[in-house]
Amino acid sequence: MTDWKIALYRPELTEAETTAVTEVMRSGWLSAGPVTRDFEARFAAALGVDDAVAVSNGTAALHLAVLALGLGPGDEVILPSLNFVSTAAVVSLCGATPVFAEVRGEHDLCVDPADVAARITPRTRALVVVHYGGYAAELPALAALARRHGLALVEDSAHAPVTPTPHGVLGTVGDIGCYSFFATKNLAMGEGGAVVARDPAVRERIRRLRSHALTVGAQDRHRGGSSLYDVDALGLNYRPTEIACAIGRVQLDALPAAAQRRQEAVRAYRRALAGLPGLTLPFAGHRVEDSAHHLLPVVLPEGMDRERLQERLRAAGIQSGVHYPPTHLFTAYRTRLGLGPGSLPITESVTRRQLSLPLHTGIGPAEVEQVAEAVTAAWQPTR
């Protein structure tokens, strides 16, 4: 983190997190327990839902969603290729087939509802919607598609914790919402995640599956309850730690102020980069207030050398990233699904040219200006 003059991401950790962790260490209870349960209640309240299930990471959240829906061999799940690989991985690991859909274009990096509709078959069981970078996908159209075809709608809200929009808080609109609290996320536990579900029975199934589907939990046994238990389903150990959830409670309290600072940084970026010829700022037409702003993506013009631009930024001490290489072109998915270059031309065009610039809670106007000046100095689009 300290090697960069301006890092792509920098966690904001205070004495409050240190105190919270120390209290857990002194309690003697380290695995999921009362702190975890309190974090779940607080997170659910922030989302405006009845309850939430905290888990060990965002991938676990997605895996539990797929398991709870009973997806498996013969089933198809439509999802965007422009996302981290974990979403497609959990679908594949359950024996179902990921069907990759296009994004809307360089101005909107979320999945295209029209392309999703064209890929629905009699084998389709679910749609996974990714709120890329913290920006809402077109939920009304996607929810209508899901209802029309009797499909489950899963929101991959790894980039968008507690994000209100005109169509609802992200992750709470579909049947199941999945969140990530990885070290680089807006709400950062180091590792962690959460799941919410519209159907309480589905949510409680997820809660059971998170801990081997045991009929009696560790806390109940510790309190002197029955030491005997049954296992009536195939579950996993996806429990979070008390340490992570203690950090999560502090981060959750700080999230509204942190969101404001991210919004201010994005406004500054939009002003500073508006005049660069050929540069696209995705989601520039969206209201700043309607996004979690997990990423600050830009799309370069065709023919521009992204690696050279990144080298120029690196020389100036500025870190950048690519979010993400398209999942359908990874070896595991090319060989499994018979895909290759040209399968998703819009996604492939965008991902060749996408670049993420530094964005985090601590970035201020002066740093934004330095990044914009470095990008401008390195700007050599093909003419």
Side-chain angles (χ1 to χ4, degrees):
M1 293 291 181
T2 57
D3 293 340
W4 297 98
K5 183 178 179 182
I6 303 178
L8 185 64
Y9 172 80
R10 188 176 72 222
E12 183 168 351
L13 300 173
T14 68
E15 283 301 314
E17 282 88 351
T18 301
T19 300
V21 170
T22 302
E23 289 173 354
V24 168
M25 298 296 288
R26 288 173 176 163
S27 77
W29 190 283
L30 300 182
S31 187
V35 173
T36 296
R37 194 70 192 99
D38 185 58
F39 170 75
E40 290 174 333
R42 294 187 191 197
F43 186 64
L47 295 174
V49 299
D50 292 337
D51 206 352
V53 181
V55 295
S56 53
N57 54 64
T59 303
L62 291 162
H63 193 190
L64 289 168
V66 171
L67 290 172
L69 292 172
L71 302 176
D75 297 332
E76 293 179 349
V77 179
I78 301 176
L79 68 164
S81 176
L82 179 50
N83 189 27
F84 189 59
V85 68
S86 57
T87 310
V90 298
V91 170
S92 301
L93 286 167
C94 289
T97 301
V99 175
F100 296 109
E102 288 277 31
V103 295
R104 299 187 71 189
E106 62 183 39
H107 293 280
D108 187 333
L109 303 181
C110 293
V111 72
D112 182 358
D115 193 66
V116 169
R119 296 175 190 273
I120 295 172
T121 75
R123 293 187 297 277
T124 306
R125 290 277 311 282
L127 311 178
V128 179
V129 179
V130 176
H131 301 303
Y132 176 93
Y135 293 88
E138 199 170 328
L139 280 171
L142 292 160
L145 268 179
R147 287 192 301 270
R148 189 179 314 134
H149 295 276
L151 309 175
L153 179 62
V154 178
E155 292 181 72
D156 181 345
S157 299
H159 295 176
V162 194
T163 306
T165 75
H167 304 298
V169 178
L170 299 184
T172 71
V173 178
D175 297 291
I176 300 178
C178 301
Y179 301 87
S180 172
F181 307 134
F182 180 59
T184 61
K185 295 300 192 292
N186 295 33
L187 195 163
M189 292 183 178
E191 292 284 1
V195 192
V196 299
R198 183 174 296 279
D199 183 342
V202 171
R203 183 182 64 235
E204 292 314 305
R205 175 171 170 77
I206 288 168
R207 191 182 303 281
R208 293 270 312 285
L209 291 173
R210 144 187 103 167
S211 189
H212 303 292
L214 303 181
T215 56
V216 180
Q219 279 189 276
D220 291 331
R221 298 197 300 274
H222 178 72
R223 294 190 187 105
S226 174
S227 60
L228 299 177
Y229 53 81
D230 190 15
V231 174
D232 57 6
L234 299 179
L236 297 149
N237 179 3
Y238 280 159
R239 296 184 299 268
T241 69
E242 291 282 271
I243 292 172
C245 289
I247 295 171
R249 289 195 302 191
V250 177
Q251 293 269 307
L252 183 61
D253 288 343
L255 194 59
Q260 288 286 338
R261 292 197 291 275
R262 285 177 179 267
Q263 290 174 17
E264 291 165 7
V266 169
R267 288 190 180 96
Y269 266 121
R270 289 182 177 181
R271 290 191 298 268
L273 297 174
L276 276 181
L279 178 74
T280 298
L281 277 166
F283 309 107
H286 291 221
R287 288 197 334 149
V288 171
E289 296 80 6
D290 294 339
S291 172
H293 300 294
H294 173 59
L295 299 174
L296 196 290
V298 299
V299 179
L300 310 180
E302 287 284 1
M304 190 170 191
D305 188 334
R306 180 173 64 189
E307 289 188 7
R308 186 175 186 277
L309 175 58
Q310 287 190 278
E311 288 173 4
R312 298 281 296 274
L313 293 175
R314 191 178 303 118
I318 296 169
Q319 187 180 20
S320 62
V322 174
H323 296 90
Y324 299 91
T327 305
H328 73 281
L329 294 185
F330 287 137
T331 300
Y333 297 94
R334 289 205 321 268
T335 55
R336 183 186 297 266
L337 303 175
L339 300 173
S343 301
L344 294 170
I346 298 173
T347 297
E348 291 167 33
S349 172
V350 167
T351 52
R352 279 195 305 269
R353 298 180 288 131
Q354 189 276 332
L355 188 68
S356 296
L357 299 177
L359 180 63
H360 50 79
T361 302
I363 197 166
E367 289 177 300
V368 169
E369 191 61 34
Q370 289 178 59
V371 174
E373 288 175 357
V375 171
T376 301
W379 198 250
Q380 295 180 354
T382 299
R383 299 185 185 281

Short mmCIF file of all heavy atoms in Angstrom, two decimals, residues 49 52 115 118 244 284 294:
data_model
loop_
_atom_site.label_atom_id
_atom_site.label_comp_id
_atom_site.label_asym_id
_atom_site.label_seq_id
_atom_site.Cartn_x
_atom_site.Cartn_y
_atom_site.Cartn_z
N VAL A 49 -34.23 -4.74 5.55
CA VAL A 49 -34.80 -6.09 5.44
C VAL A 49 -34.87 -6.70 6.83
O VAL A 49 -34.32 -6.18 7.80
CB VAL A 49 -33.98 -6.97 4.49
CG1 VAL A 49 -33.98 -6.38 3.09
CG2 VAL A 49 -32.54 -7.16 4.99
N ALA A 52 -30.26 -10.89 7.92
CA ALA A 52 -29.17 -11.18 6.99
C ALA A 52 -28.35 -12.32 7.56
O ALA A 52 -28.37 -12.58 8.77
CB ALA A 52 -28.29 -9.94 6.78
N ASP A 115 -30.11 -8.49 -24.15
CA ASP A 115 -29.28 -9.65 -24.46
C ASP A 115 -29.61 -10.81 -23.53
O ASP A 115 -29.61 -11.98 -23.96
CB ASP A 115 -27.81 -9.29 -24.34
CG ASP A 115 -26.90 -10.34 -24.96
OD1 ASP A 115 -26.95 -10.51 -26.20
OD2 ASP A 115 -26.17 -11.01 -24.21
N ALA A 118 -32.63 -12.59 -24.84
CA ALA A 118 -32.36 -13.41 -26.02
C ALA A 118 -31.71 -14.74 -25.67
O ALA A 118 -31.72 -15.67 -26.49
CB ALA A 118 -31.47 -12.63 -26.98
N ALA A 244 -13.84 -10.56 12.24
CA ALA A 244 -14.27 -9.89 11.01
C ALA A 244 -15.55 -9.10 11.25
O ALA A 244 -15.70 -7.96 10.78
CB ALA A 244 -14.46 -10.91 9.91
N ALA A 284 -21.64 8.07 -16.51
CA ALA A 284 -21.57 9.51 -16.28
C ALA A 284 -22.96 10.14 -16.26
O ALA A 284 -23.16 11.21 -15.68
CB ALA A 284 -20.70 10.18 -17.34
N HIS A 294 -17.77 1.89 -5.96
CA HIS A 294 -16.68 1.01 -5.55
C HIS A 294 -15.48 1.16 -6.49
O HIS A 294 -14.34 1.11 -6.05
CB HIS A 294 -17.15 -0.45 -5.55
CG HIS A 294 -16.06 -1.43 -5.31
ND1 HIS A 294 -15.30 -1.42 -4.16
CD2 HIS A 294 -15.59 -2.45 -6.07
CE1 HIS A 294 -14.41 -2.39 -4.22
NE2 HIS A 294 -14.55 -3.03 -5.36
#
